[in-house]
Amino acid sequence: MDFIFQNILNALQWGSFYALIALGYTLVYGVLRLINFAHGDIFMVGAYISFFLASFLLGPLVGLSPAMVFLITVPLTMLLTSCVGVTLERIAYRPLRRKGAHRLYVVITALMCGLILEYSNLAVLGASRLKFPELIEKQIWDVGGVSITNLKVLVIAAAIVVFLFLQWVVTRTRVGMAMRAISYDKFAIPLMGIPMDNIIVVTFVLGSGFAGLAGLLFAMSYPVLEPFMGMLIGWKAFIAAVVGGIGDIKGAFVGGFLLGFIEVGVVSVFPSSYRDLFAFTILLLILWMKPTGLFGMPQSTKI
Amino acid sequence: MVLFAVGLLVAAHYRFIDSYIQIVAMTIGINIIMSTSLNLVNGNMGEFTCGHAGFMCVGAYISSILSVACFGSKFGDPLLPASSVLFVFPIILLIGGAVAAVSSLLVSVPSFKTRDDYLAIISIAVNYMILSALENMDFIGGSRGFQGMKDTVWAMVDIFDGPWMLFWVILFTALTVWIIRRFISSTYGKGVNAICQDEVAAEIMSVNTNKIKIINFMIAAGLAGCAGGLYAHIIGYVNPQSFNILKSTEALVMVYLGGMGSLSGAVISAIIFTGLLEVLRSQALIDGLLSPITMMFPDWEPSAGVIKWVMIPLLLVIVMQFRPEGIMGNRELSDVFPWLKKFYRFK
């Protein structure tokens, strides 16, 4: 029994990371119908930014206490990471969108931007792995044989709060209404006096900011940083977003946790090298049964 | 073209060009096969699949296992005499391609119902599944990789001392381009283009979309499987991780750089892309290019292998900004230079 609860807790934590990244994918996709393949690398950049911020603030120049550093690092990381996301949008995606390029060329550009981020990081900082400093003192509570650390609770809570926040933004605010409108009809929106570019920038700010938050939390939970950490987790989060039904906030959240549960469940029973095989087979079967994902709406096309 | 190929072979035979240039030429050939076959799915049919390297992996493993079983000594005695290698080797490659074609059913059957981005996911998932399945098979080395294919190549060299692998690569590249050209200009090819334009309308116009999708995916994956078999025999070692998503990305880049649905564009972009990869490998060139920056930061030592992967995506992003439809767009070489129509016709 303890074994099961412990694994459920691990799955919740692991799924939270997927959910946080998948939310960013799905936001950008829902508005622009663009698969932002650089998103996993924005997550990586977020982890590095938080590392440098934390080391700077803990260092001899400033010398704050770890708890204070944590409180300052979270908003700063989110801000700086969203700057990276918006820069990518300004430099690479917007000119292509203006020229009316085919959707897939923008996707390829996004892939290339991801590669640039990864390898320029490798070139500038070198291949040595970095160790993230411990910001929150680790507390382990033992509840009926199940060990719960405060970090795990923090991560899971962060994922749920972010989900509720994004759901509120998209369904209840004026910006969210504009986002939904853009995804509904891109050509009528400028006629209605809605500043399309500003709304898209807001989307990128939200998506990249929460990728930065995910990077910070990931670096705190698994304190080793390397340039390629975002690649695999980014692809998998994208798959999770699609299985949930891409473009739908709830779908990304559920898909992320589903992938987390499948992976941890497989690892706890089989050898860990079977993880990808089982996870992807199950996801393939889900997509086979429901081709538009769990919460996606089938699109009707006019001829 | 024929003269050029024969000239390359003769030059390689009499050691006018060293083995480095031969390897580069073979890599270009393999990349041409990869990009033209992916172009069949992503360009002509207008789907977005990004798991092409998975089929290459299937072809590479199947043909390596067969070739080691037939001519190597790893699984016990060789099954076939070494003198038959010249006839058996292309058959081995084709069997590898056939198995890869069958494995493409994993993508093509879901594609009856799913479209664009969902299909992209299915193909990525299939790519991961193939790699993960191979990593868990211990009798072919698992994640440590599999080797022993060089025995077959040496058996060929024993019969006649020449650049055999270069010959096979050139042959299969020419075969691929020929097959794809014939396929696209056939009735089936018109059906493929019709699916790209509008799938529902194509179905109303009595195009059997499911059948055409299966055939198209099978041809593309089969050719990728042949490319994988050639790759395995050139390197002499295969490892599941050398066919990961990065390899698929390379194929995608070649297709979109050349222009969607343009066969000659895919060939040209494969040559340019592979050439760039090789040119930027030189440390001296990178040092020269970056000398102003290294002057300012003397303790920063960039390595060419890393800088290469910053500069190539950067170049591609810039190309995309100025020419968002790829090098050739939707046109063929003979549309751009009409005098070429004297030599070959297309469509």
Side-chain angles (χ1 to χ4, degrees):
Chain A
M1 211 53 202
D2 293 349
F3 175 73
I4 293 173
F5 278 118
Q6 187 68 55
N7 274 317
I8 286 177
L9 198 67
N10 290 345
L12 279 173
Q13 185 199 14
W14 197 232
S16 303
F17 292 123
Y18 284 137
L20 275 173
I21 302 170
L23 283 171
Y25 266 117
T26 223
L27 258 186
V28 173
Y29 186 89
V31 174
L32 280 181
R33 287 192 40 80
L34 155 73
I35 311 173
N36 185 10
F37 274 130
H39 199 70
D41 301 301
I42 291 175
F43 160 79
M44 178 273 293
V45 171
Y48 270 87
I49 287 177
S50 67
F51 168 77
F52 286 116
L53 276 176
S55 336
F56 175 70
L57 292 176
L58 281 174
L61 264 177
V62 185
L64 291 171
S65 70
M68 275 297 288
V69 170
F70 176 70
L71 287 181
I72 298 173
T73 313
V74 171
L76 268 182
T77 305
M78 287 173 67
L79 191 72
L80 289 175
T81 319
S82 53
C83 287
V84 175
V86 172
T87 313
L88 276 187
E89 199 269 336
R90 262 329 294 251
I91 293 176
Y93 306 153
R94 189 182 290 184
L96 276 180
R97 203 168 59 236
R98 288 268 165 79
K99 279 179 193 143
H102 195 284
R103 202 167 62 86
L104 294 180
Y105 287 102
V106 189
V107 174
I108 294 295
T109 309
L111 259 176
M112 293 299 109
C113 291
L115 278 179
I116 293 175
L117 285 181
E118 275 167 24
Y119 280 92
S120 48
N121 186 347
L122 187 61
V124 174
L125 298 178
S128 61
R129 297 179 170 192
L130 300 173
K131 168 111 176 51
F132 197 78
E134 194 167 296
L135 292 184
I136 296 182
E137 201 178 331
K138 207 170 193 173
Q139 289 176 352
I140 301 174
W141 302 306
D142 197 62
V143 184
V146 181
S147 73
I148 304 172
T149 59
N150 50 356
L151 252 179
K152 275 182 187 168
V153 175
L154 182 69
V155 169
I156 297 166
I160 293 171
V161 167
V162 167
F163 161 67
L164 291 176
F165 174 71
L166 285 181
Q167 184 80 2
W168 174 74
V169 165
V170 170
T171 53
R172 293 273 186 276
T173 60
R174 285 169 66 88
V175 177
M177 196 191 274
M179 283 178 186
R180 281 180 290 146
I182 291 176
S183 73
Y184 190 73
D185 190 338
K186 212 190 282 180
F187 298 102
I189 288 309
L191 302 178
M192 301 290 141
I194 297 173
M196 202 164 121
D197 284 337
N198 293 4
I199 300 294
I200 289 171
V201 166
V202 170
T203 317
F204 270 87
V205 166
L206 285 175
S208 319
F210 291 124
L213 179 67
L216 170 66
L217 292 174
F218 191 85
M220 280 166 66
S221 314
Y222 304 94
V224 177
L225 304 182
E226 50 152 352
F228 297 100
M229 60 191 269
M231 200 163 77
L232 196 61
I233 202 168
W235 284 103
K236 283 185 174 171
F238 173 47
I239 293 176
V242 172
V243 167
I246 193 160
D248 188 277
I249 303 284
K250 195 165 63 205
F253 186 68
V254 174
F257 277 106
L258 185 70
L259 187 60
F261 268 97
I262 293 173
E263 288 203 338
V264 173
V266 169
V267 170
S268 62
V269 181
F270 296 102
S272 65
S273 58
Y274 284 95
R275 187 180 66 188
D276 287 0
L277 186 62
F278 278 85
F280 288 123
T281 313
I282 292 171
L283 297 185
L284 194 69
L285 288 177
I286 292 176
L287 273 187
W288 202 329
M289 301 294 159
K290 276 187 80 70
T292 48
L294 293 175
F295 294 98
M297 288 289 155
Q299 292 169 339
S300 60
T301 45
K302 283 183 194 163
I303 305 167
Chain B
M1 289 301 269
V2 175
L3 279 179
F4 177 71
V6 172
L8 199 64
L9 280 174
V10 170
H13 180 53
Y14 291 108
R15 310 256 179 258
F16 289 137
I17 52 178
D18 55 4
S19 53
Y20 168 67
I21 298 193
Q22 282 186 41
I23 292 264
V24 173
M26 289 191 276
T27 318
I28 287 178
I30 286 172
N31 279 343
I32 288 176
I33 300 180
M34 287 297 283
S35 70
T36 48
S37 61
L38 185 63
N39 190 22
L40 206 56
V41 176
N42 279 23
N44 290 106
M45 202 157 74
E47 301 284 5
F48 183 56
T49 63
C50 26
H52 211 50
F55 305 126
M56 192 180 177
C57 184
V58 172
Y61 263 86
I62 295 290
S63 57
S64 334
I65 292 167
L66 280 176
S67 109
V68 168
C70 289
F71 304 106
S73 51
K74 203 171 174 182
F75 297 143
D77 288 335
L79 292 174
L80 295 170
S83 54
S84 65
V85 66
L86 289 187
F87 309 104
V88 177
F89 182 66
I91 296 174
I92 286 176
L93 286 183
L94 289 177
I95 292 175
V99 176
V102 172
S103 73
S104 81
L105 285 177
L106 279 176
V107 178
S108 61
V109 173
S111 81
F112 294 165
K113 282 198 286 182
T114 34
R115 298 254 171 92
D116 37 54
D117 298 321
Y118 294 96
L119 193 64
I121 288 307
I122 288 180
S123 60
I124 296 173
V126 166
N127 192 346
Y128 273 117
M129 273 163 58
I130 290 172
L131 297 193
S132 184
L134 283 170
E135 274 181 359
N136 285 308
M137 292 184 189
D138 260 342
F139 65 98
I140 49 170
S143 52
R144 291 186 305 279
F146 182 73
Q147 53 188 354
M149 289 79 79
K150 279 287 179 193
D151 289 343
T152 315
V153 182
W154 286 325
M156 282 190 275
V157 172
D158 282 343
I159 294 173
F160 176 75
D161 187 18
W164 275 107
M165 283 319 295
L166 189 61
F167 168 72
W168 291 120
V169 169
I170 289 174
L171 187 72
F172 269 87
T173 309
L175 191 73
T176 303
V177 174
W178 182 75
I179 287 177
I180 290 178
R181 214 183 108 203
R182 300 297 295 175
F183 178 72
I184 284 303
S185 48
S186 73
T187 326
Y188 282 111
K190 304 286 184 222
V192 170
N193 282 331
I195 290 177
C196 175
Q197 308 264 325
D198 193 323
E199 196 178 325
V200 184
E203 200 161 359
I204 293 169
M205 289 301 180
S206 81
V207 176
N208 188 346
T209 49
N210 289 357
K211 187 176 160 193
I212 285 191
K213 275 182 183 171
I214 286 190
I215 290 175
N216 200 18
F217 270 110
M218 276 191 150
I219 290 181
L223 292 171
C226 293
L230 287 167
Y231 174 84
H233 283 85
I234 292 169
I235 307 291
Y237 169 75
V238 281
N239 181 335
Q241 280 310 318
S242 53
F243 302 101
N244 60 6
I245 207 88
L246 204 63
K247 192 88 181 168
S248 301
T249 310
E250 272 179 32
L252 271 181
V253 166
M254 285 187 280
V255 169
Y256 289 98
L257 180 66
M260 281 167 76
S262 164
L263 179 60
S264 42
V267 174
I268 293 171
S269 69
I271 296 172
I272 292 178
F273 185 74
T274 323
L276 262 182
L277 278 183
E278 288 303 322
V279 169
L280 288 179
R281 196 180 251 180
S282 96
Q283 183 73 47
L285 181 71
I286 294 286
D287 283 345
L289 280 176
L290 291 180
S291 55
I293 306 173
T294 39
M295 290 263 277
M296 289 196 306
F297 303 100
D299 48 342
W300 185 51
E301 289 172 357
S303 92
V306 173
I307 296 293
K308 182 174 82 171
W309 280 110
V310 180
M311 295 182 85
I312 290 175
L314 204 60
L315 269 176
L316 281 169
V317 169
I318 292 168
V319 167
M320 290 282 165
Q321 299 293 336
F322 288 107
R323 218 178 146 68
E325 71 272 21
I327 296 174
M328 302 293 288
N330 200 11
R331 297 168 302 173
E332 294 295 334
L333 206 55
S334 57
D335 299 336
V336 184
F337 301 109
W339 53 268
L340 277 172
K341 281 186 182 157
K342 272 189 289 187
F343 301 104
Y344 80 103
R345 277 186 309 130
F346 196 89
K347 285 173 191 167

